[in-house]
Amino acid sequence: MATTVTQSVLSSALTSMMTSMMTSSSSPNTSNPKEYHTVLLVINSVVLLSGIISLSLMMHIMRFSSTSITSTAVLNLIFTHFLFLLTVPFRIYYYATHQWALSPGWCRVVSGMIHIHMYMSFLFYVIILVTRLMSFYYNAELVVSFHKFHALLVSGVVWIVVLVVVPCIMHSFYGKIGNDKSSKNNTNTTCFKFGNNIADAKVLIYIVSIVIILVASVLTGLQANALRVLYKKHREGCSSQQDYGAQQKSLCFALVMVVCFIPYHMFRLNYLENIHLENVNEVFLTLTTFNCLDMLTFLGRRTWFMCCPKMTF
């Protein structure tokens, strides 16, 4: 029932989005941002509700998980989703009221968090997939030799960079131009309008978008091939193989990358030359946040019978 309702809501939202996109493409200077606010309000509301449910179930399951590199990456992924979901109510508030009554600095933080969430999620997806693929294509002992201590050390370094260096960069550069202009023209009532800043980082954005598209495509292809090889090896008995189940979950992560990230970055390549599509870009960017539902990948049949005490990732 919940899935049916969600699909119905998303279908209505996407229909409205496509209508708005057609309107904006024909008259980009006269499109009404409030038309997009309705779509964005629906998407963010669904992401917040579904994300909370997904993370709650996953945190309960993680109590029974073994300690491994993959489980450490999954814990980091959960924390990434959690930090992002804390900012979603502010987005819902803005799209519901059509005005930003908080400080411009907090607007930059909330706006930047959706990008941080996307890149951090992508990083941990890559770690999970590369770990699985190395254990399959090469030697599993090579992965085991990378101890939990090393995984925790890498996690610590990553989060120090994210929580210390990134905020400094955001404070100094992110949203300054767009925020200054919106402050003068709209008396501080608008938010998430930072398209004017893109020109200064256009080359970097091109490179990042192309890298994400290529990496996601290659890892998905390798993961699909790993499943194909295991299926040919075990045939009917593949469903009972632990390695097959692990690779199957990894393929789900790869597909999450393909579905949530590649469309946005493909559109972004066009958006860089058409800044008037800023509202449409915001919709595509918001659609990437559906990767918060990736934790549902781990909710297997056994989970509902609560919960296997030695569940492994």
Side-chain angles (χ1 to χ4, degrees), residues 144-215:
V144 174
S145 65
F146 191 81
H147 298 293
K148 181 186 176 183
F149 171 77
H150 299 119
L152 293 175
L153 182 62
V154 171
S155 299
V157 172
V158 169
W159 283 110
I160 287 174
V161 172
V162 171
L163 298 178
V164 177
V165 178
V166 172
C168 293
I169 295 175
M170 287 179 58
H171 177 74
S172 301
F173 302 104
Y174 182 76
K176 286 291 186 179
I177 299 176
N179 189 60
D180 292 342
K181 290 190 175 184
S182 65
S183 298
K184 294 176 181 178
N185 299 331
N186 299 290
T187 64
N188 289 326
T189 60
T190 61
C191 190
F192 313 133
K193 298 293 182 182
F194 302 129
N196 294 313
N197 295 272
I198 289 181
D200 297 330
K202 186 177 291 187
V203 175
L204 177 62
I205 295 174
Y206 268 121
I207 294 173
V208 170
S209 293
I210 292 173
V211 167
I212 288 178
I213 292 171
L214 291 178
V215 170

Side-chain angles (χ1 to χ4, degrees), residues 45-89:
S45 298
V46 172
V47 167
L48 180 61
L49 178 61
S50 304
I52 290 174
I53 295 173
S54 174
L55 291 190
S56 299
L57 291 171
M58 192 57 199
M59 284 188 290
H60 184 68
I61 296 171
M62 287 297 291
R63 295 186 306 162
F64 306 101
S65 66
S66 63
T67 56
S68 64
I69 301 173
T70 307
S71 62
T72 302
V74 170
L75 284 172
N76 281 280
L77 194 55
I78 291 174
F79 187 59
T80 301
H81 293 332
F82 173 74
L83 288 180
F84 168 70
L85 290 175
L86 290 178
T87 66
V88 174

Side-chain angles (χ1 to χ4, degrees), residues 26-305:
S26 60
S27 55
N29 297 325
T30 61
S31 60
N32 183 4
K34 292 185 178 181
E35 296 175 357
Y36 295 90
H37 284 192
T38 301
V39 178
L40 293 166
L41 175 63
V42 172
I43 295 175
N44 280 282
S45 298
V46 172
V47 167
L48 180 61
L49 178 61
S50 304
I52 290 174
I53 295 173
S54 174
L55 291 190
S56 299
L57 291 171
M58 192 57 199
M59 284 188 290
H60 184 68
I61 296 171
M62 287 297 291
R63 295 186 306 162
F64 306 101
S65 66
S66 63
T67 56
S68 64
I69 301 173
T70 307
S71 62
T72 302
V74 170
L75 284 172
N76 281 280
L77 194 55
I78 291 174
F79 187 59
T80 301
H81 293 332
F82 173 74
L83 288 180
F84 168 70
L85 290 175
L86 290 178
T87 66
V88 174
F90 295 99
R91 290 181 166 271
I92 294 174
Y93 146 79
Y94 173 67
Y95 295 129
T97 62
H98 308 296
Q99 62 178 357
W100 185 261
L102 304 176
S103 69
W106 186 242
C107 171
R108 299 208 313 271
V109 170
V110 175
S111 177
M113 192 61 210
I114 194 172
H115 295 279
I116 294 173
H117 172 255
M118 176 176 60
Y119 294 127
M120 290 295 291
S121 297
F122 177 78
L123 173 63
F124 292 125
Y125 288 151
V126 170
I127 291 174
I128 292 170
L129 292 174
V130 169
T131 301
R132 289 294 190 197
L133 291 171
M134 286 178 62
S135 65
F136 177 79
Y137 286 105
Y138 298 100
N139 191 346
E141 294 180 359
L142 180 64
V143 180
V144 174
S145 65
F146 191 81
H147 298 293
K148 181 186 176 183
F149 171 77
H150 299 119
L152 293 175
L153 182 62
V154 171
S155 299
V157 172
V158 169
W159 283 110
I160 287 174
V161 172
V162 171
L163 298 178
V164 177
V165 178
V166 172
C168 293
I169 295 175
M170 287 179 58
H171 177 74
S172 301
F173 302 104
Y174 182 76
K176 286 291 186 179
I177 299 176
N179 189 60
D180 292 342
K181 290 190 175 184
S182 65
S183 298
K184 294 176 181 178
N185 299 331
N186 299 290
T187 64
N188 289 326
T189 60
T190 61
C191 190
F192 313 133
K193 298 293 182 182
F194 302 129
N196 294 313
N197 295 272
I198 289 181
D200 297 330
K202 186 177 291 187
V203 175
L204 177 62
I205 295 174
Y206 268 121
I207 294 173
V208 170
S209 293
I210 292 173
V211 167
I212 288 178
I213 292 171
L214 291 178
V215 170
S217 301
V218 170
L219 289 179
T220 302
L222 291 173
Q223 193 62 61
N225 182 65
L227 271 180
R228 182 187 66 83
V229 172
L230 287 174
Y231 179 77
K232 288 180 64 176
K233 181 179 180 181
H234 300 289
R235 295 292 179 176
E236 284 76 11
C238 63
S239 59
S240 61
Q241 297 294 319
Q242 184 178 4
D243 192 30
Y244 183 85
Q247 298 295 344
Q248 197 172 38
K249 292 173 182 178
S250 296
L251 180 62
C252 290
F253 273 122
L255 293 176
V256 167
M257 282 199 303
V258 170
V259 173
C260 293
F261 294 160
I262 288 183
Y264 166 67
H265 286 283
M266 292 183 67
F267 173 79
R268 202 180 195 190
L269 296 175
N270 175 60
Y271 167 62
L272 291 172
E273 304 299 330
N274 299 277
I275 305 302
H276 65 272
L277 296 175
E278 186 173 11
N279 289 324
V280 182
N281 178 73
E282 190 67 24
V283 174
F284 273 94
L285 177 61
T286 305
L287 288 173
T288 66
T289 63
F290 275 110
N291 77 309
C292 286
L293 304 183
D294 54 12
M295 292 298 108
L296 297 177
T297 298
F298 290 101
L299 300 183
R301 190 182 308 168
R302 291 178 298 175
T303 302
W304 302 106
F305 292 100

